């Protein structure tokens, strides 16, 4: 798409989001509610399914366009974490699913009939050390039997399907520790009646994250995604798109904070002059603007490389790191600019401040990105 067409997408997303004011999001945050109407409308308008190819009923656009959608959602004051995964989790099916899986699931996801917005990787005892995860899928006839535990699995209560990573061969029996892991497409409702229990986690933001317990949950062998033992690649291949889109959300959050801070600094009069006339107030906002613009360029670079089919692990990681740090800093400056009013929930800033903090930790933490750059880009010794 050319620049003008992307501008039109942005405009349309802004209009849609404008119908759901910030009070809508504040209310959901207070009640821990789910934005069902918003998600339905975003899906029906085709914005949440932009990455699904046309042959399966999606718009068949690239990550650049998808990033523009997510950025605008966040800039409007919304909490995109409630729905962003519907955009990219389906990539595992698209890239690694069999023809039967693609024709069965993707058109229904594109039509909004099926929600595939849950991703089950993290475990409480192993955390970032993914290849040590302990959830096991044991082959038994034409089924796999799943046992184990996951933590922080978001949107599971609002998802029909989940992509899950489990061990099918013990780590001690594989040469490469990334081997022996397999990815599965889990029918959440079917699993719930068959040994899956879900425990919501009370947390700092309204992200609908849960702890999952699998007790002899049978999974049809047909639900294996890709090749048995090669599931790490299925998950890995989806990560670049996820990181770029989350970086775009952070750019949206950052622009939201800068819009709010600069407007307030211009309006608020203390000592008979707008507080923004003081360089101590104005310069931090200007600096955040520069940092968000720079992060946005890295997001664009990563998205363009992804859409051209080029390896973009470093760029996707750097975009996520730079944008999450810049949005957090912009949030902090926005808080400072608003003084005491920053703490009043009706100003919405404290909610966005909490929400944007997540992205220095999930889906991957900053240290892990730095170690990726150190090892894979700069060729320094592996640190773990
Ligand atoms: C709100 C929320 C939603 C989430 N949603 C999902 C989801 O839907 N699906 C899912 O699978 N996961 C999800 N997660 C999990 C998330 O991906 C992890 O929390 C994140 O990857 C970090 O893992 P951890 O919490 O186990 O931290 P740990 O691995 O315990 O690490 C703790 C800290 O130590 C640092 N650290 C660890 N090892 C090293 C090292 N070798 N060198 C330097 N620093 C190191 C890390 O950078 C981190 O800062 C979510 C988390 C949250 C909070």
């Amino acid at each position: 798409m050319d620049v003008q067409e992307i501008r039109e997408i942005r405009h349309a997303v802004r209009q849609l989001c404008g119908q759901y004011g910030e009070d809508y999001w504040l209310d959901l945050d207070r009640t821990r509610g789910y934005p069902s109407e918003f998600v339905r409308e975003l899906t029906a308008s085709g914005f949440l399914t932009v990455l699904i190819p046309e042959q399966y009923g999606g718009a068949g656009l690239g990550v650049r366009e998808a990033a523009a959608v997510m950025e605008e959602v966040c800039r409007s004051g919304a909490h995109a974490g409630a729905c962003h995964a519907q955009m990219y989790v389906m990539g595992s099916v698209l890239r690694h699913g069999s023809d039967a899986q693609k024709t069965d699931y993707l058109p229904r996801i594109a039509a909004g009939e099926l929600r595939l917005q849950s991703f089950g990787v993290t475990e409480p005892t192993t955390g970032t050390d993914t290849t040590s995860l302990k959830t096991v899928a044991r082959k038994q006839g034409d089924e796999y039997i799943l046992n184990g535990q996951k933590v922080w699995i978001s949107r599971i209560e609002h998802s029909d399907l989940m992509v899950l990573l489990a061990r099918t061969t013990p780590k001690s029996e594989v040469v490469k520790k990334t081997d022996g892991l397999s990815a599965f497409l889990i029918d959440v409702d079917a699993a719930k009646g068959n040994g899956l229990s879900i425990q919501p986690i009370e947390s700092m933001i309204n992200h609908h994250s849960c702890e999952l317990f699998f007790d002899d949950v049978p999974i049809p062998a047909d639900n294996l995604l890709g090749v048995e033992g090669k599931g790490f690649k299925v998950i890995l291949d989806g990560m670049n798109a996820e990181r770029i889109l989350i970086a775009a959300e952070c750019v949206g959050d950052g622009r939201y904070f800068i819009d709010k801070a600069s407007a307030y600094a211009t309006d608020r009069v203390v000592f008979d002059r707008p507080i923004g006339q003081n360089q101590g107030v104005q310069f931090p906002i200007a600096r955040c603007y520069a940092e968000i613009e720079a992060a946005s360029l890295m997001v664009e670079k990563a998205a363009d490389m992804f859409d051209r089919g080029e390896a973009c692990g470093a760029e996707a990681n750097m975009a996520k790191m730079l944008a999450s740090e810049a949005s957090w800093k912009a949030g902090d400056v926005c808080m400072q600019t608003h003084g005491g009013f920053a703490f009043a929930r009706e100003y919405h800033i404290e909610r966005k401040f909490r929400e944007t903090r997540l992205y220095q930790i999930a889906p991957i933490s900053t240290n892990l990105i730095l170690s990726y750059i150190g090892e894979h880009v700069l060729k320094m010794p592996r640190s773990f």
Side-chain angles (χ1 to χ4, degrees), residues 142-301:
D142 56 1
E143 289 180 332
Y144 286 88
I145 307 297
L146 207 55
N147 279 287
Q149 193 180 344
K150 297 277 172 189
V151 73
W152 291 115
I153 309 311
S154 304
R155 299 162 298 273
I156 184 80
E157 295 168 299
H158 306 279
S159 202
D160 303 296
L161 299 166
M162 161 176 56
V163 170
L164 178 119
L165 192 64
R167 263 230 172 259
T168 38
T169 308
K171 197 174 174 186
S172 56
E173 292 173 23
V174 291
V175 179
K176 271 172 65 189
K177 61 184 182 178
T178 48
D179 282 345
L181 292 164
S182 300
F184 296 92
L185 201 51
I186 309 284
D187 178 330
V188 178
D189 265 345
K192 270 199 299 204
N194 273 298
L196 166 63
S197 40
I198 299 176
Q199 186 64 47
I201 302 171
E202 201 178 332
S203 74
M204 174 175 156
I205 57 171
N206 186 25
H207 213 76
H208 309 275
S209 304
C210 295
E211 205 164 353
L212 310 185
F213 302 88
F214 299 89
D215 185 9
D216 283 336
V217 179
I219 307 295
D222 285 349
N223 286 27
L224 178 72
L225 270 179
V227 178
E228 185 186 296
K230 299 288 177 191
F232 192 73
K233 184 165 167 47
V234 175
I235 302 298
L236 208 62
D237 282 353
M239 285 180 172
N240 287 340
E242 180 185 46
R243 279 167 206 176
I244 298 167
L245 291 175
I246 283 178
E249 290 175 34
C250 292
V251 169
D253 284 346
R255 289 186 168 145
Y256 165 93
F257 290 127
I258 290 161
D259 290 346
K260 287 250 169 174
S262 50
Y264 190 79
T266 305
D267 286 350
R268 170 78 169 166
V269 174
V270 181
F271 296 114
D272 298 325
R273 58 184 189 164
I275 55 170
Q277 206 174 326
N278 305 302
Q279 292 179 341
V281 174
Q282 186 184 103
F283 285 7
I285 304 172
R287 179 175 291 277
C288 287
Y289 176 81
E291 289 173 0
I292 284 289
E293 288 299 301
S296 172
L297 286 177
M298 185 54 86
V299 174
E300 279 179 33
K301 179 177 181 182

Side-chain angles (χ1 to χ4, degrees), residues 301-313:
K301 179 177 181 182
D304 285 346
M305 290 173 75
F306 186 99
D307 289 340
R308 285 195 301 266
E310 294 170 17
C312 62

